[in-house]
Amino acid sequence: RTGKISNYTGKKEVVYSNIMLPDGADLKFQDRQTLWNAVEEKEKRKNSQLCKDHILALPKELPKEQQVSLARQFAYDHFVRHGLVADIAIHNHVDGNPHAHILTTTRRLKGSEFAEKARDLNPSFAKGRVVSNDQWGDLWTDYQNAYFIKHSIDLRVDDKHILPQLHEGSNPNASWLKSENEQRREEEIQIALTDPVSVLNIISNQKAVFTD
């Protein structure tokens, strides 16, 4: 359609990819080419939105299997069970910043046909500005922390920190956790002083707009 040829076969940072379909969907859409060609064919307006790209920073302390599980569960709970298709790819660059791209359709898939737009899942608007009732950053933070608790993983996510903090809980004997978190906070200070670009990259992934 565009006349451009792209070749992504040399990309090495994609460590996982999968297409999740809602219940009752035709399995032919597990083929990526079939899926996205059908998405484009359904839209008639030249400015139609075909999909949404949600980027989730993944805890690098988790093994790949748990990163995949975490991303897939989030995609199912927030998109797939509501009738949308989720095309997931997990990237792990050499910089040690694993993250998941969840590309979701804007229309619900019913059987072999794309149906209505899922506008009920969009953020609400007031006076021309988004009043988001689905703050994805906050939802992702809460979802990760709930996952850690469910699977007895001593981590917690706090977007005020550059480095993830260990979950201290209420155990009075876990003084080593406080010591470890204090050391991580010291490391954060050193990162901020010596590598401000990395701080900006982290903030940019978490916030669309941020103050000085």
Side-chain angles (χ1 to χ4, degrees):
R1 179 173 60 80
T2 64
K4 293 177 60 178
I5 297 176
S6 302
N7 182 357
Y8 297 102
T9 57
K11 290 178 72 70
K12 303 299 183 184
E13 65 269 22
V14 181
V15 297
Y16 174 86
S17 65
N18 189 257
I19 294 173
M20 298 179 65
L21 302 176
D23 290 342
D26 193 322
L27 296 181
K28 70 180 182 180
F29 292 109
Q30 287 185 331
D31 174 73
R32 190 164 281 111
Q33 181 171 317
T34 300
L35 168 65
W36 293 111
N37 281 340
V39 167
E40 287 219 37
E41 187 177 3
K42 180 67 177 180
E43 304 297 341
K44 304 305 178 186
R45 293 172 50 187
K46 64 179 182 180
N47 62 342
S48 293
Q49 184 178 19
L50 303 176
C51 58
K52 295 182 180 180
D53 185 14
H54 306 272
I55 303 176
L56 309 177
L58 295 169
K60 63 182 180 181
E61 290 82 1
L62 295 184
K64 188 184 82 170
E65 292 74 18
Q66 286 185 315
Q67 292 177 348
V68 169
S69 172
L70 181 57
R72 284 180 58 88
Q73 286 185 31
F74 184 86
Y76 177 81
D77 287 344
H78 291 287
F79 308 117
V80 179
R81 76 181 182 93
H82 296 290
L84 302 182
V85 180
D87 189 349
I88 303 175
I90 292 181
H91 296 176
N92 195 351
H93 299 277
V94 293
D95 60 1
N97 181 29
H99 58 277
H101 289 265
I102 303 179
L103 207 62
T104 62
T105 56
T106 56
R107 293 181 180 272
R108 289 183 165 93
L109 179 58
K110 297 182 177 179
S112 60
E113 297 291 333
F114 280 99
E116 76 281 359
K117 293 272 188 177
R119 293 190 172 89
D120 55 304
L121 301 181
N122 290 342
S124 57
F125 291 82
K127 298 181 180 179
R129 300 188 65 176
V130 175
V131 183
S132 180
N133 57 6
D134 55 350
Q135 297 281 351
W136 294 115
D138 293 337
L139 277 175
W140 179 232
T141 295
D142 294 341
Y143 200 89
Q144 289 178 90
N145 287 331
Y147 181 91
F148 296 153
I149 293 172
K150 179 179 179 181
H151 295 275
S152 301
I153 299 171
D154 284 330
L155 285 175
R156 67 181 174 88
V157 177
D158 184 346
D159 62 9
K160 297 179 179 64
H161 291 283
I162 299 169
L163 302 176
Q165 306 294 295
L166 299 174
H167 180 59
E168 296 177 10
S170 58
N171 185 351
N173 298 319
S175 58
W176 69 272
L177 291 174
K178 296 182 183 296
S179 176
E180 175 67 20
N181 282 336
E182 184 60 36
Q183 182 176 344
R184 292 187 180 208
R185 284 189 283 270
E186 291 294 330
E187 291 176 7
E188 287 180 330
I189 294 173
Q190 293 303 313
I191 292 173
L193 290 174
T194 60
D195 189 10
V197 173
S198 68
V199 179
L200 287 177
N201 286 337
I202 293 166
I203 296 175
S204 297
N205 280 331
Q206 296 172 344
K207 307 292 183 183
V209 178
F210 48 91
T211 66
D212 290 343

